[in-house]
Amino acid sequence: MASTSIDPLDVPPYLVEPLIPSITVGKVTCAQALGSEIYVGCSNGELLRYAMQADDSSKLESYSLLSRQSLPNEKAINEIVLVPYLSRALILCDHQIHFYTLPSLDPVPNVKPIRNVVTFAVDQQHLQRPAPSFAEPSTKLSPVEFCVIKRSSIALYSLQDRLFYQKEIPFQQGATLARRTGRYLCVADREFYNMIDLQSASMFQLLPLSQAFDNPAPVKPFITVISENEFLLLSWTGATTLGVFITGEGDPVRGTLEWPSHPEALCLDYPYITTLLPNGTIEIHSVETQAIIQVVSAPANMEDRERVTLVACMGGYMVSSSQRSDKMRMKKVKLVRRAQATPSSDGSSNSDSQGNEGSAEDIVATDT
């Protein structure tokens, strides 16, 4: 198990840089990024779309607001899942999954929202599919599968140009969180982590959310897909929190992670696991060695000093950098032109096949 008794000052910090300005209406509840765009969900039901662009060629690129729209009922947006392979965004709001196109965020025609949703889990392997080329017709794309967890059942869907309902599996435990990779769906109820084999519709318990049975206080569940057949689950012992790597068959793998308190947020940026702790620090562990790599201070909201959460996305977040522009320098380059054709004495035309060097010059920026 990796020890966390380390002085943060002894570990070089990550670079923390703001990406978008503060939200003036409502609070940020979730966010995701795709390429040079960031999609932000707010507590008042607003969906914001930002893009990195340069308003002034002499300044660094920065994110600016492209569009804003409100989802029905003006309820908080709970989750945004981007599916680049299908150019779709699945948005959970007010117990409904809404379907939008990427990058414009227009409602997908002829696809109605799925209602009575507690949470949902898109197959992680399908989320990792690269975006297709423009020449590839949408009708030839493979469907993307996901599970919708309701109060008493788990419904299986697939999404292509249309939404297809597959089947439903009874589930009575009252799920609060779910993650899927391939045939395996890991679900947390109020007490235990459970593994479901979607092909055989079988389920077994893995481990409790809290091992401090004398203290019935609720513990926030965490499920993270590590690889095609591996999950990371967090369990509170009453003194520390353990991170257990486990396969879809229920077999433990790797070592065990450990935190001095139960994390408030966790995300994977392979090969690192990053967690936000209640003491206001961010700890970064190695997935491969389980060793602690860095400890940094978590930035707080300047208005209410509130640290909300950590959010990871598969493609990362684009950040403007002056490094490349600092290496650019202006250089004069001579232009080379071909000579114009001139008529010959026999009436035919000829030209200088080697070309003539003109006197004009062009100024270009080159990378040094």
Side-chain angles (χ1 to χ4, degrees), residues 300-311:
N301 185 296
M302 297 306 295
E303 296 179 359
D304 52 19
R305 309 301 296 175
E306 179 185 4
R307 286 176 297 272
V308 182
T309 189
L310 298 176
V311 180

Side-chain angles (χ1 to χ4, degrees), residues 47-309:
L47 182 60
L48 311 179
R49 177 189 173 199
Y50 291 84
M52 179 177 282
Q53 50 191 3
D55 297 329
D56 187 337
S57 58
S58 63
K59 297 181 179 179
L60 288 176
E61 293 179 325
S62 61
Y63 283 99
S64 57
L65 183 65
L66 286 187
S67 65
R68 64 193 310 159
Q69 61 197 87
S70 296
L71 270 71
N73 303 324
E74 297 182 351
K75 296 294 183 65
I77 298 176
N78 304 110
E79 189 173 1
I80 299 174
V81 175
L82 304 182
V83 188
Y85 178 71
L86 295 179
S87 299
R88 294 289 183 265
L90 280 61
I91 299 176
L92 178 61
C93 176
D94 192 26
H95 301 289
Q96 300 180 47
I97 300 176
H98 301 265
F99 299 86
Y100 290 85
T101 61
L102 291 176
S104 60
L105 292 180
D106 296 321
V108 177
N110 303 320
V111 177
K112 295 182 179 180
I114 300 176
R115 305 181 184 276
N116 304 316
V117 179
V118 176
T119 185
F120 72 107
V122 183
D123 190 335
Q124 192 77 5
Q125 298 178 33
H126 293 180
L127 288 177
Q128 293 174 345
R129 292 173 179 169
S133 64
F134 291 105
E136 190 172 358
S138 59
T139 55
K140 296 292 183 65
L141 299 180
S142 301
V144 170
E145 298 182 347
F146 63 98
C147 299
V148 175
I149 291 81
K150 301 185 178 183
R151 290 183 179 179
S152 59
S153 64
I154 298 173
L156 276 63
Y157 289 86
S158 63
L159 179 65
Q160 202 172 15
D161 55 336
R162 295 165 51 198
L163 181 65
F164 298 94
Y165 169 82
Q166 296 178 333
K167 64 179 180 179
E168 201 156 302
I169 301 174
F171 189 83
Q172 301 293 339
Q173 276 81 356
T176 58
L177 178 67
R179 292 291 181 264
R180 176 180 175 180
T181 173
R183 64 187 291 177
Y184 296 109
L185 176 70
C186 188
V187 181
D189 57 36
R190 293 178 180 87
E191 296 183 45
F192 291 92
Y193 295 102
N194 308 273
M195 190 68 72
I196 299 175
D197 187 327
L198 298 173
Q199 292 186 10
S200 63
S202 60
M203 183 189 75
F204 57 91
Q205 287 183 352
L206 293 171
L207 73 159
L209 274 64
S210 174
Q211 302 173 37
F213 301 107
D214 56 340
N215 183 7
V219 174
K220 183 178 181 180
F222 288 97
I223 306 172
T224 302
V225 175
I226 300 298
S227 63
E228 291 187 1
N229 187 25
E230 184 181 356
F231 298 86
L232 172 65
L233 313 178
L234 269 58
S235 180
W236 170 246
T237 68
T240 61
T241 289
L242 301 180
V244 180
F245 297 93
I246 198 164
T247 67
E249 294 81 14
D251 299 323
V253 291
R254 304 183 191 270
T256 304
L257 296 174
E258 185 177 9
W259 294 270
S261 56
H262 197 67
E264 296 182 355
L266 179 148
C267 62
L268 170 70
D269 182 17
Y270 198 87
Y272 302 114
I273 288 289
T274 304
T275 50
L276 172 63
L277 299 181
N279 64 1
T281 60
I282 297 175
E283 290 191 357
I284 299 95
H285 289 80
S286 167
V287 173
E288 300 295 338
T289 66
Q290 296 83 56
I292 190 167
I293 303 299
Q294 290 190 356
V295 178
V296 298
S297 297
N301 185 296
M302 297 306 295
E303 296 179 359
D304 52 19
R305 309 301 296 175
E306 179 185 4
R307 286 176 297 272
V308 182
T309 189

